[in-house]
Amino acid sequence: MSREFDGIVAANALVAIDDEHDPEGGSTAFERAHVAALLARAREHLEELDQALERVERGQYGKCAGCGGTIPPERLEIRPATALCVRCARSNPRRSP
């Protein structure tokens, strides 16, 4: 994804783009924004996985960071990087990995 994003940026740098008058300008801007968003989400996910591995090393994997309770195995199977039980994730959706 990083190479794809860099390629889009490089290709656009070679051409004077006037999004207002160039029929392709809007689509290249959208494509660049879309790939940037995908790349940011992939980086966030990798960070979440790194944090989960740290919890494994500390013996804290499977314990809720919110309430200290046990995260059900079914939730960990679906979201292996999660640090919150369902109840805590629902009460604080912005913090829910």
Side-chain angles (χ1 to χ4, degrees):
M1 270 193 267
S2 292
R3 283 191 302 269
E4 183 177 343
F5 181 77
D6 292 343
I8 293 168
V9 171
N12 287 333
L14 299 174
V15 179
I17 295 181
D18 179 1
D19 286 354
E20 190 174 325
H21 298 99
D22 182 357
E24 294 298 315
S27 63
T28 57
F30 171 79
E31 186 177 345
R32 183 176 57 239
H34 180 72
V35 172
L38 290 173
L39 187 56
R41 180 59 193 128
R43 286 181 177 144
E44 288 174 13
H45 187 65
L46 286 174
E47 178 63 29
E48 291 169 2
L49 291 172
D50 286 342
Q51 291 171 0
L53 287 173
E54 289 173 8
R55 288 192 301 276
V56 168
E57 291 171 0
R58 291 190 318 262
Q60 296 295 311
Y61 185 75
K63 292 194 183 236
C64 179
C67 68
T70 301
I71 300 172
E74 298 83 10
R75 177 161 171 78
L76 291 171
E77 186 176 328
I78 294 168
R79 302 209 50 188
T82 191
L84 300 172
C85 68
V86 173
R87 186 180 67 218
C88 289
R90 283 187 182 146
S91 67
N92 191 356
R94 303 245 329 126
R95 190 175 164 213
S96 175

